[in-house]
Amino acid sequence: MSSVHDEHATSQNSSYQRDIRYIFKLNSWILGSLGIWPIAIRGIGQHASKIVIVIFNLALSFAIVPCALHIIYDEKDITMRLKLCGLLAFCLTAMTKYCILAIRRPKILRCIEYVKSDWWQVTFRTDRELMLKYATTGRNLTIIGVSFMYIAGIIYHMILPFCSEHKINNQTIRPLVYPVYSKFYQSQISPIYELVYVAHCMCGYTIYSVTAGACGLAALFTTHACGQIQMIIAQLENLLDGDKFEQTLNVQQRIAAIVKGHVRVIRFAAVIEEVLQEVCLVEFASSVCTICLLEYYCIVDWQADDRIGLTTYFMLFVSFCFNIYILCYIGELLMEKSSQIGSICYMINWYELSPKSARSFILILAMSGHPIKITAGRMADLSLTTFGNVLKTSLAYLSFLRTLVM
């Protein structure tokens, strides 16, 4: 992989630079703004990402601590407490994922190097088109998830707080995105109010960027792995013809190239698992409660005829469901593609090969019998079945919550 950074080397893919910018641009913008995306900066700039991470974590703490104090000491209404507890849990979840991604930056860099190396070595135009197809799928999933998340976040932070009058003891107060403990009365005085509001907006940006960025990172790496598996499948289908190989290679060398590519994908998937398993575990553990609470908020605002609140919470609900769906969909896609290799090994004209060459498929068949999986903390596989279980569990909790509160 060191050849990727060799300035004197020539890439086999003439469109290498353009392709890399295309697949990395969106994720580098989102995670780079949070100091998570690994970049090569020398001098004092190499500490910039650490400074950014500290600043955004302080912004999260600036919203979490006063909100927690407000829930404990000030708020008495059970419905408002539920709304604020959901908000607080969301903030804490985002902070946890942020810290995990910050710790996993070396592993993220390793995955990026894997992706760059694969694009660097593309030889055939059909292989590049195949890789671009899967890269576009991951990019489109990221764009949709980011759009839902940011639109809902903008409404929640910049429109919803100003749509209703806020009074305490018949005195109108200026609204804030996150509630503040009553003892901090200075938060209503300019310019402290403006500073607090900006800090709350920074907190919101951090929350939505971490959530969308984690799903985007999973989509980027997993769809790339699927593209590499599809290339292996194409090589297996053309093993005897040799169209997908250098003309100088014999059958045994072609099989060796296929096995080498398969092993590389498996190793890449293992690194992806290391990067994402804790983030996915936190995401799934929190999503059941968050989706349940958002469903409850939608019901309450529907009954209260609060259209803006209903729209905001419904968009948040859709964005959360879609983020979980992205993780489960790409996990399902990776399992399906990796198990497909075994089927293709059997479907090709392997009987036309020499017995010695045919025996080489035994290990490939054995490995494809254990498809590559992405898990949530090694406790649950990311699959569409898991997505269905998350929705069913959230509805069960919603039924319990309605019985308890209403």
Side-chain angles (χ1 to χ4, degrees), residues 256-282:
I258 290 171
V259 173
K260 184 179 178 182
H262 192 202
V263 170
R264 179 176 173 80
V265 172
I266 292 172
R267 287 175 176 168
F268 177 50
V271 182
I272 297 174
E273 169 78 358
E274 289 181 35
V275 171
L276 297 177
Q277 61 176 340
E278 294 98 343
V279 172
C280 291
L281 178 61
V282 173

mmCIF file of all heavy atoms in Angstrom, residues 256-282:
data_model
loop_
_atom_site.group_PDB
_atom_site.id
_atom_site.type_symbol
_atom_site.label_atom_id
_atom_site.label_comp_id
_atom_site.label_asym_id
_atom_site.label_seq_id
_atom_site.Cartn_x
_atom_site.Cartn_y
_atom_site.Cartn_z
ATOM 1 N N ALA A 256 -4.571 -18.332 -8.452
ATOM 2 C CA ALA A 256 -3.788 -17.717 -7.373
ATOM 3 C C ALA A 256 -4.161 -16.241 -7.208
ATOM 4 O O ALA A 256 -4.272 -15.739 -6.076
ATOM 5 C CB ALA A 256 -2.297 -17.864 -7.661
ATOM 6 N N ALA A 257 -4.375 -15.520 -8.321
ATOM 7 C CA ALA A 257 -4.765 -14.105 -8.264
ATOM 8 C C ALA A 257 -6.148 -13.945 -7.626
ATOM 9 O O ALA A 257 -6.386 -13.013 -6.842
ATOM 10 C CB ALA A 257 -4.759 -13.514 -9.671
ATOM 11 N N ILE A 258 -7.057 -14.890 -7.940
ATOM 12 C CA ILE A 258 -8.392 -14.844 -7.346
ATOM 13 C C ILE A 258 -8.333 -15.062 -5.839
ATOM 14 O O ILE A 258 -8.959 -14.344 -5.055
ATOM 15 C CB ILE A 258 -9.304 -15.906 -8.012
ATOM 16 C CG1 ILE A 258 -9.631 -15.497 -9.451
ATOM 17 C CG2 ILE A 258 -10.595 -16.090 -7.213
ATOM 18 C CD1 ILE A 258 -10.333 -16.581 -10.251
ATOM 19 N N VAL A 259 -7.562 -16.070 -5.414
ATOM 20 C CA VAL A 259 -7.427 -16.354 -3.977
ATOM 21 C C VAL A 259 -6.790 -15.173 -3.255
ATOM 22 O O VAL A 259 -7.221 -14.777 -2.162
ATOM 23 C CB VAL A 259 -6.587 -17.635 -3.770
ATOM 24 C CG1 VAL A 259 -6.289 -17.833 -2.289
ATOM 25 C CG2 VAL A 259 -7.324 -18.852 -4.320
ATOM 26 N N LYS A 260 -5.775 -14.575 -3.867
ATOM 27 C CA LYS A 260 -5.114 -13.412 -3.270
ATOM 28 C C LYS A 260 -6.106 -12.260 -3.090
ATOM 29 O O LYS A 260 -6.134 -11.600 -2.039
ATOM 30 C CB LYS A 260 -3.951 -12.978 -4.158
ATOM 31 C CG LYS A 260 -3.130 -11.833 -3.589
ATOM 32 C CD LYS A 260 -1.973 -11.484 -4.516
ATOM 33 C CE LYS A 260 -1.184 -10.291 -3.970
ATOM 34 N NZ LYS A 260 -0.071 -9.909 -4.889
ATOM 35 N N GLY A 261 -6.934 -12.025 -4.118
ATOM 36 C CA GLY A 261 -7.947 -10.959 -4.011
ATOM 37 C C GLY A 261 -8.983 -11.261 -2.950
ATOM 38 O O GLY A 261 -9.417 -10.369 -2.211
ATOM 39 N N HIS A 262 -9.376 -12.550 -2.833
ATOM 40 C CA HIS A 262 -10.370 -12.953 -1.838
ATOM 41 C C HIS A 262 -9.829 -12.754 -0.419
ATOM 42 O O HIS A 262 -10.525 -12.238 0.469
ATOM 43 C CB HIS A 262 -10.756 -14.417 -2.063
ATOM 44 C CG HIS A 262 -11.953 -14.847 -1.285
ATOM 45 N ND1 HIS A 262 -12.216 -16.161 -0.977
ATOM 46 C CD2 HIS A 262 -12.960 -14.133 -0.725
ATOM 47 C CE1 HIS A 262 -13.326 -16.242 -0.278
ATOM 48 N NE2 HIS A 262 -13.810 -15.034 -0.111
ATOM 49 N N VAL A 263 -8.579 -13.151 -0.209
ATOM 50 C CA VAL A 263 -7.948 -12.980 1.105
ATOM 51 C C VAL A 263 -7.851 -11.500 1.458
ATOM 52 O O VAL A 263 -8.090 -11.097 2.614
ATOM 53 C CB VAL A 263 -6.552 -13.637 1.121
ATOM 54 C CG1 VAL A 263 -5.790 -13.263 2.389
ATOM 55 C CG2 VAL A 263 -6.675 -15.154 1.016
ATOM 56 N N ARG A 264 -7.530 -10.671 0.468
ATOM 57 C CA ARG A 264 -7.412 -9.228 0.707
ATOM 58 C C ARG A 264 -8.754 -8.630 1.140
ATOM 59 O O ARG A 264 -8.810 -7.814 2.064
ATOM 60 C CB ARG A 264 -6.896 -8.547 -0.554
ATOM 61 C CG ARG A 264 -6.758 -7.039 -0.415
ATOM 62 C CD ARG A 264 -6.155 -6.419 -1.666
ATOM 63 N NE ARG A 264 -6.183 -4.970 -1.586
ATOM 64 C CZ ARG A 264 -5.307 -4.243 -0.898
ATOM 65 N NH1 ARG A 264 -4.336 -4.839 -0.243
ATOM 66 N NH2 ARG A 264 -5.406 -2.926 -0.869
ATOM 67 N N VAL A 265 -9.837 -9.053 0.481
ATOM 68 C CA VAL A 265 -11.169 -8.557 0.855
ATOM 69 C C VAL A 265 -11.525 -8.977 2.270
ATOM 70 O O VAL A 265 -12.082 -8.189 3.049
ATOM 71 C CB VAL A 265 -12.240 -9.050 -0.153
ATOM 72 C CG1 VAL A 265 -13.638 -8.701 0.346
ATOM 73 C CG2 VAL A 265 -12.019 -8.429 -1.517
ATOM 74 N N ILE A 266 -11.215 -10.220 2.626
ATOM 75 C CA ILE A 266 -11.517 -10.715 3.977
ATOM 76 C C ILE A 266 -10.749 -9.905 5.027
ATOM 77 O O ILE A 266 -11.302 -9.537 6.077
ATOM 78 C CB ILE A 266 -11.180 -12.217 4.083
ATOM 79 C CG1 ILE A 266 -12.144 -13.037 3.217
ATOM 80 C CG2 ILE A 266 -11.247 -12.686 5.528
ATOM 81 C CD1 ILE A 266 -11.778 -14.501 3.093
ATOM 82 N N ARG A 267 -9.487 -9.613 4.742
ATOM 83 C CA ARG A 267 -8.695 -8.806 5.678
ATOM 84 C C ARG A 267 -9.243 -7.382 5.775
ATOM 85 O O ARG A 267 -9.287 -6.800 6.863
ATOM 86 C CB ARG A 267 -7.231 -8.788 5.222
ATOM 87 C CG ARG A 267 -6.515 -10.110 5.453
ATOM 88 C CD ARG A 267 -5.101 -10.083 4.885
ATOM 89 N NE ARG A 267 -4.389 -11.323 5.184
ATOM 90 C CZ ARG A 267 -3.242 -11.668 4.628
ATOM 91 N NH1 ARG A 267 -2.665 -10.859 3.736
ATOM 92 N NH2 ARG A 267 -2.649 -12.808 4.954
ATOM 93 N N PHE A 268 -9.638 -6.827 4.647
ATOM 94 C CA PHE A 268 -10.226 -5.487 4.638
ATOM 95 C C PHE A 268 -11.515 -5.456 5.470
ATOM 96 O O PHE A 268 -11.733 -4.541 6.271
ATOM 97 C CB PHE A 268 -10.494 -5.069 3.192
ATOM 98 C CG PHE A 268 -11.161 -3.727 3.046
ATOM 99 C CD1 PHE A 268 -10.681 -2.599 3.704
ATOM 100 C CD2 PHE A 268 -12.268 -3.573 2.235
ATOM 101 C CE1 PHE A 268 -11.280 -1.367 3.565
ATOM 102 C CE2 PHE A 268 -12.887 -2.347 2.079
ATOM 103 C CZ PHE A 268 -12.390 -1.237 2.751
ATOM 104 N N ALA A 269 -12.351 -6.478 5.289
ATOM 105 C CA ALA A 269 -13.604 -6.557 6.058
ATOM 106 C C ALA A 269 -13.335 -6.671 7.552
ATOM 107 O O ALA A 269 -14.096 -6.135 8.372
ATOM 108 C CB ALA A 269 -14.437 -7.740 5.575
ATOM 109 N N ALA A 270 -12.248 -7.356 7.920
ATOM 110 C CA ALA A 270 -11.888 -7.478 9.347
ATOM 111 C C ALA A 270 -11.535 -6.111 9.931
ATOM 112 O O ALA A 270 -11.897 -5.809 11.080
ATOM 113 C CB ALA A 270 -10.724 -8.449 9.505
ATOM 114 N N VAL A 271 -10.845 -5.268 9.152
ATOM 115 C CA VAL A 271 -10.515 -3.917 9.625
ATOM 116 C C VAL A 271 -11.780 -3.064 9.718
ATOM 117 O O VAL A 271 -11.953 -2.286 10.669
ATOM 118 C CB VAL A 271 -9.477 -3.248 8.684
ATOM 119 C CG1 VAL A 271 -9.107 -1.871 9.215
ATOM 120 C CG2 VAL A 271 -8.223 -4.104 8.572
ATOM 121 N N ILE A 272 -12.689 -3.209 8.736
ATOM 122 C CA ILE A 272 -13.971 -2.491 8.786
ATOM 123 C C ILE A 272 -14.724 -2.852 10.063
ATOM 124 O O ILE A 272 -15.291 -1.997 10.743
ATOM 125 C CB ILE A 272 -14.841 -2.817 7.553
ATOM 126 C CG1 ILE A 272 -14.169 -2.343 6.270
ATOM 127 C CG2 ILE A 272 -16.215 -2.158 7.677
ATOM 128 C CD1 ILE A 272 -14.914 -2.762 5.004
ATOM 129 N N GLU A 273 -14.720 -4.142 10.383
ATOM 130 C CA GLU A 273 -15.384 -4.616 11.604
ATOM 131 C C GLU A 273 -14.786 -3.968 12.849
ATOM 132 O O GLU A 273 -15.510 -3.544 13.761
ATOM 133 C CB GLU A 273 -15.262 -6.142 11.670
ATOM 134 C CG GLU A 273 -15.665 -6.774 12.983
ATOM 135 C CD GLU A 273 -17.164 -6.894 13.160
ATOM 136 O OE1 GLU A 273 -17.902 -6.446 12.274
ATOM 137 O OE2 GLU A 273 -17.596 -7.400 14.213
ATOM 138 N N GLU A 274 -13.469 -3.842 12.882
ATOM 139 C CA GLU A 274 -12.809 -3.205 14.026
ATOM 140 C C GLU A 274 -13.206 -1.736 14.143
ATOM 141 O O GLU A 274 -13.366 -1.216 15.254
ATOM 142 C CB GLU A 274 -11.294 -3.328 13.884
ATOM 143 C CG GLU A 274 -10.758 -4.732 14.091
ATOM 144 C CD GLU A 274 -9.245 -4.781 13.964
ATOM 145 O OE1 GLU A 274 -8.582 -3.808 14.366
ATOM 146 O OE2 GLU A 274 -8.725 -5.791 13.450
ATOM 147 N N VAL A 275 -13.356 -1.056 13.018
ATOM 148 C CA VAL A 275 -13.715 0.368 13.030
ATOM 149 C C VAL A 275 -15.154 0.567 13.482
ATOM 150 O O VAL A 275 -15.452 1.477 14.269
ATOM 151 C CB VAL A 275 -13.514 0.982 11.624
ATOM 152 C CG1 VAL A 275 -14.093 2.393 11.564
ATOM 153 C CG2 VAL A 275 -12.039 1.014 11.257
ATOM 154 N N LEU A 276 -16.062 -0.302 13.026
ATOM 155 C CA LEU A 276 -17.491 -0.017 13.142
ATOM 156 C C LEU A 276 -18.211 -0.758 14.268
ATOM 157 O O LEU A 276 -19.323 -0.379 14.623
ATOM 158 C CB LEU A 276 -18.190 -0.340 11.815
ATOM 159 C CG LEU A 276 -17.778 0.480 10.592
ATOM 160 C CD1 LEU A 276 -18.505 -0.026 9.356
ATOM 161 C CD2 LEU A 276 -18.073 1.957 10.804
ATOM 162 N N GLN A 277 -17.612 -1.810 14.830
ATOM 163 C CA GLN A 277 -18.402 -2.649 15.724
ATOM 164 C C GLN A 277 -18.913 -1.897 16.955
ATOM 165 O O GLN A 277 -20.083 -2.050 17.342
ATOM 166 C CB GLN A 277 -17.617 -3.890 16.128
ATOM 167 C CG GLN A 277 -16.318 -3.631 16.872
ATOM 168 C CD GLN A 277 -15.656 -4.928 17.319
ATOM 169 O OE1 GLN A 277 -16.294 -5.966 17.410
ATOM 170 N NE2 GLN A 277 -14.363 -4.871 17.599
ATOM 171 N N GLU A 278 -18.068 -1.062 17.583
ATOM 172 C CA GLU A 278 -18.530 -0.328 18.764
ATOM 173 C C GLU A 278 -19.546 0.753 18.386
ATOM 174 O O GLU A 278 -20.541 0.956 19.086
ATOM 175 C CB GLU A 278 -17.355 0.316 19.501
ATOM 176 C CG GLU A 278 -16.388 -0.654 20.133
ATOM 177 C CD GLU A 278 -15.173 -0.900 19.261
ATOM 178 O OE1 GLU A 278 -15.248 -0.573 18.048
ATOM 179 O OE2 GLU A 278 -14.156 -1.409 19.778
ATOM 180 N N VAL A 279 -19.282 1.452 17.253
ATOM 181 C CA VAL A 279 -20.219 2.486 16.799
ATOM 182 C C VAL A 279 -21.582 1.877 16.501
ATOM 183 O O VAL A 279 -22.629 2.416 16.893
ATOM 184 C CB VAL A 279 -19.664 3.193 15.540
ATOM 185 C CG1 VAL A 279 -20.710 4.130 14.939
ATOM 186 C CG2 VAL A 279 -18.409 3.983 15.884
ATOM 187 N N CYS A 280 -21.583 0.729 15.816
ATOM 188 C CA CYS A 280 -22.846 0.064 15.483
ATOM 189 C C CYS A 280 -23.564 -0.430 16.733
ATOM 190 O O CYS A 280 -24.804 -0.369 16.812
ATOM 191 C CB CYS A 280 -22.600 -1.095 14.521
ATOM 192 S SG CYS A 280 -22.083 -0.589 12.879
ATOM 193 N N LEU A 281 -22.805 -0.909 17.713
ATOM 194 C CA LEU A 281 -23.419 -1.367 18.956
ATOM 195 C C LEU A 281 -24.119 -0.207 19.670
ATOM 196 O O LEU A 281 -25.271 -0.334 20.108
ATOM 197 C CB LEU A 281 -22.358 -1.983 19.869
ATOM 198 C CG LEU A 281 -22.851 -2.463 21.235
ATOM 199 C CD1 LEU A 281 -23.905 -3.553 21.074
ATOM 200 C CD2 LEU A 281 -21.684 -2.958 22.087
ATOM 201 N N VAL A 282 -23.428 0.927 19.775
ATOM 202 C CA VAL A 282 -24.032 2.113 20.404
ATOM 203 C C VAL A 282 -25.246 2.578 19.604
ATOM 204 O O VAL A 282 -26.285 2.933 20.163
ATOM 205 C CB VAL A 282 -22.985 3.246 20.518
ATOM 206 C CG1 VAL A 282 -23.636 4.528 21.007
ATOM 207 C CG2 VAL A 282 -21.860 2.838 21.457
#
